[in-house]
Structure formats: C-alpha cells, structure tokens
Amino acid sequence: PRLLSQFFFADERVTRVVAEINGLDAELDPQQYLVLLNQLHLSQAHLLAILERIMEECIPTQRHSRDYLVKFPEELLVDNLGNHMLFAAECLLAGTFLEVEDADRTQLRPQARNLLCSLELVRTVLREQSLSQPGSYPEPIRAVLIQFDRLFAEFELSYVSSLVAVKSPEEIYRQQEIIVLFCETVERALRLGYLTQEMIDGYEPLLMFTIPRLAIISGLLIYPEGPLSLEQSPEQMSRVFSPFYNLLKKIRDLLWVLSEEELCLLERSLCTAE
C-alpha cells in the first residue's frame, strides 16, 4: 500500500519497456514498435499518476501554482495532460517535434531538458528511498520533488502557450461574468416558477437547453449591462457570444416589442420546448 513501493514497481515497468524499445529495430518490426510505444505511454502515465499522489502526500502546501490552467482551452484539460507534456519534452530534445515554430522550439528545448533531467533525478532518489525507508520522505527528497513540480508547471505553461492562444485575463473575467449571469438566471427562474429545485437536483437533461435560452433573455433584457451587453463591440464580448453579435441584436429588437405577459409566455415555452 505504500506509495514509494508502488512507485518502485511502476518505475521498473517504464525501465523495462524502454529497454525493449531500445533493443528493437523499428524498421524490421514496426508493428511491435508501435505496441511497445503504446505500452511506454501507458506505463509513463501510471508512473506520473503515482508521482502526483506522492507529491500531494509529501509537499501538499509547497506545490507550484496551477492557476494558469484556467487560461487553457477546455479541450486540453484532459486527465492525461501530464503524460502529453512528458512526451512533448522528449520529442523536443530528440528533435522530432515539429508542431511549434523554430523560435518556440529554441525556447522550449532548455526547459524540456531541465524537466527530463529533474524527472530522472526524482526517479533515482525515490527508487533509493523505496528500497531503504519506503515510509518516509526526508528533506532532500522533498527538495527534489519541489523542483520537479516547478519545472513541470513552467514547461506546461510555455509549451501550451506556444501551441494555442491561451485565454487572456479579460477573457477569463468575461467567462466569470457569464457564470454569474447563468446563476442569476437560475435564481430568477426558480423565483418565477419556470424551474423547480427538484429539476436542478435531479440534473434534468432539459436544463441543458432551458437555462442557456433563459440566460440569453436575461442578458439582453434583465441585465443589459452584463456580458451580453450590445453596447460593446463584438471584440469586447466573450468568444462564447461574439460570433452571434448580429443575431443577438435581432433577438433583442424582437424582445423589446413584447408585453410583460408575452415575455412570460415566451420564457415558459422555452422551458418546455425541446
């Protein structure tokens, strides 16, 4: 059950697969090479998962901040992101990574080298500790883990920033405004009887359509100075809504001519229509 013991066997697995890959002629047996490469990715992912648990146990209050993750596109926030970072670092050092520009590769390569060297040091000291005192983490090990955690975070931010446009502080603030709008929309819908608490507690699937529809009406009429304000240019709006700027104007113009009773009927219909 000890994490260091689990790390030892996971590390042994990585070492064994790497040895098999190094002893294989990929040109003579490409199929087996692909099989081993997949095994390497899986074993590295398992090793990193155990290492993450060790850091949470050993240096929980000294972890490097991961606040920058809110800047990343949602599609990148996957469970095996760390393994992708490790693979990218290895490819950068090997000179086989072509997804980033030359200038970015020049900047990233030293970071990748430092990260992989730090990982090797972590593997060495944790292996030795697992064979001597697998139940403790002396200060030298804590220092090595802190350094690795920092280098990993710095490389992750630099690498992703070189591939995609990370969110600006302004965009993050706009998204927070949208969250507030949705919360206020739900509160208003509950108060007016459009929705029930049971629907929310039961994760009623219809809410996936109902709440955004009601939020558009709320954003255009009830909170016109919020994230759906049409007094700003499309460039100033969140990327969630900016492509629909002209459509939102048409919707707002139609809503303006509705009476209070007609608006109520419209919102109720949006809560039932699929």
Side-chain angles (χ1 to χ4, degrees), residues 7 20 34 54 56 62 83 89 92 116 134-135 169 223 256 265:
F7 183 89
E20 291 184 44
L34 291 177
I54 289 175
E56 282 299 311
Q62 298 168 287
N83 204 35
L92 281 164
L116 294 177
Y223 312 106
W256 273 351
L265 289 174

Side-chain angles (χ1 to χ4, degrees), residues 34-217:
L34 291 177
V35 170
L36 290 175
L37 196 61
N38 183 61
Q39 291 180 5
L40 177 61
H41 291 164
L42 293 175
S43 59
Q44 284 180 332
H46 182 54
L47 183 72
L48 287 177
I50 297 176
L51 181 55
E52 177 70 22
R53 292 169 59 196
I54 289 175
M55 289 191 291
E56 282 299 311
E57 180 178 271
C58 180
I59 54 170
T61 62
Q62 298 168 287
R63 299 293 305 271
H64 193 84
S65 172
R66 294 305 198 277
D67 290 347
Y68 59 82
L69 290 175
V70 301
K71 298 182 177 182
F72 290 2
E74 283 75 9
E75 60 269 18
L76 290 184
L77 300 178
V78 294
D79 291 338
N80 58 347
L81 179 61
N83 204 35
H84 287 309
M85 295 301 105
L86 183 59
F87 180 67
E90 293 169 340
C91 290
L92 281 164
L93 276 193
T96 58
F97 202 81
L98 305 177
E99 291 188 21
V100 296
E101 301 292 335
D102 291 341
D104 291 326
R105 280 203 298 271
T106 301
Q107 176 188 350
L108 287 170
R109 195 169 287 119
Q111 288 184 292
R113 182 181 298 107
N114 291 338
L115 172 61
L116 294 177
C117 288
S118 179
L119 177 59
E120 283 304 308
L121 179 59
V122 165
R123 291 176 63 185
T124 298
V125 298
L126 290 184
R127 278 199 306 266
E128 293 174 353
Q129 187 68 16
S130 67
L131 293 172
S132 57
Q133 293 179 302
S136 64
Y137 301 101
E139 185 56 37
I141 286 184
R142 295 167 61 87
V144 167
L145 290 173
I146 291 172
Q147 180 189 47
F148 170 75
D149 189 46
R150 176 180 60 81
L151 292 173
F152 198 103
E154 291 174 352
F155 176 77
E156 184 174 55
L157 176 57
S158 298
Y159 169 70
V160 174
S161 298
S162 71
L163 287 182
V164 299
V166 297
K167 299 172 187 174
S168 66
E170 293 76 18
E171 177 64 19
I172 294 172
Y173 178 75
R174 295 187 193 111
Q175 289 192 347
Q176 290 173 338
E177 282 190 315
I178 294 173
I179 293 172
V180 172
L181 172 63
F182 272 55
C183 291
E184 291 177 339
T185 296
V186 170
E187 182 180 354
R188 176 174 174 270
L190 288 171
R191 187 173 66 252
L192 296 176
Y194 297 155
L195 305 177
T196 65
Q197 190 62 48
E198 289 73 20
M199 295 172 66
I200 296 174
D201 294 341
Y203 301 100
E204 173 62 44
L206 186 60
L207 296 179
M208 296 176 61
F209 303 96
T210 298
I211 294 176
R213 291 167 175 172
L214 293 177
I216 290 175
I217 294 180

Side-chain angles (χ1 to χ4, degrees), residues 221-268:
L221 293 184
I222 312 301
Y223 312 106
E225 297 181 358
L228 287 184
S229 172
L230 298 178
E231 300 304 316
Q232 57 188 338
S233 66
E235 293 74 21
Q236 294 173 307
M237 297 181 71
S238 169
R239 286 181 288 181
V240 175
F241 293 112
S242 58
F244 310 104
Y245 186 82
N246 291 329
L247 177 59
L248 289 171
K249 272 192 170 183
K250 295 178 180 179
I251 295 174
R252 182 195 60 182
D253 294 342
L254 291 172
L255 292 174
W256 273 351
V257 302
L258 296 179
S259 66
E260 185 175 343
E261 182 180 353
E262 289 171 331
L263 179 61
C264 180
L265 289 174
L266 172 61
E267 289 185 306
R268 286 192 178 279

